[in-house]
Amino acid sequence: QVQLVESGGGLVQAGGSLRLSCTASGRGFSSYDVGWFRQGPGKEREVVATIRWSGGTIYYIDSVKGRFTISRDNAKTTVFLQMNSLKPEDTAVYYCASKERYGSSWIYWGQGTQVTVSS
């Protein structure tokens, strides 16, 4: 069982930066893949970035490439999402999720953190 808690959201002006953290408790987190997802107002949830359990094979949705960076510190059981050059369309609730390294389903989810980007 893994519990995830997101933090770091807030209100920022367009062009600004935020760093989200996803802190895990429970056993085995270092062997789990982790993803950041978001759901904007009136939109469906979408994957933003993912990182494998080893720290390799990183994926970004096209709209955040070059602006967002996902990283993980397994020793501190934390995954980060550095978000730079934020745009109003990045406004959403951001969630982190994890899955077993060979699994297909994201089974553990955090409660979400609100990111609001003003124009």
Side-chain angles (χ1 to χ4, degrees):
Q1 187 84 13
V2 173
Q3 294 81 40
L4 303 174
V5 178
E6 303 96 335
S7 62
L11 173 64
V12 64
Q13 290 188 330
S17 298
L18 285 173
R19 189 192 198 201
L20 304 184
S21 298
C22 173
T23 302
S25 59
R27 304 184 67 175
F29 180 73
S30 60
S31 64
Y32 282 71
D33 300 339
V34 177
W36 282 99
F37 296 74
R38 67 185 180 188
Q39 186 165 17
K43 299 180 181 179
E44 294 190 355
R45 186 174 61 196
E46 62 180 357
V47 60
V48 176
T50 63
I51 187 167
R52 294 299 310 277
W53 63 277
S54 60
T57 315
I58 291 174
Y59 163 84
Y60 297 101
I61 193 172
D62 284 348
S63 60
V64 308
K65 286 181 180 177
R67 300 188 298 122
F68 290 12
T69 303
I70 189 172
S71 61
R72 69 187 297 163
D73 182 341
N74 283 338
K76 297 183 178 180
T77 62
T78 302
V79 174
F80 304 98
L81 186 67
Q82 178 67 44
M83 306 187 296
N84 298 328
S85 302
L86 283 160
K87 304 175 181 180
E89 51 263 43
D90 294 318
T91 294
V93 178
Y94 283 71
Y95 301 88
C96 67
S98 64
K99 65 178 182 70
E100 295 176 357
R101 68 173 88 172
Y102 300 119
S104 59
S105 299
W106 298 95
I107 54 177
Y108 300 113
W109 291 82
Q111 82 290 346
T113 185
Q114 176 70 47
V115 171
T116 303
V117 185
S118 63
S119 57

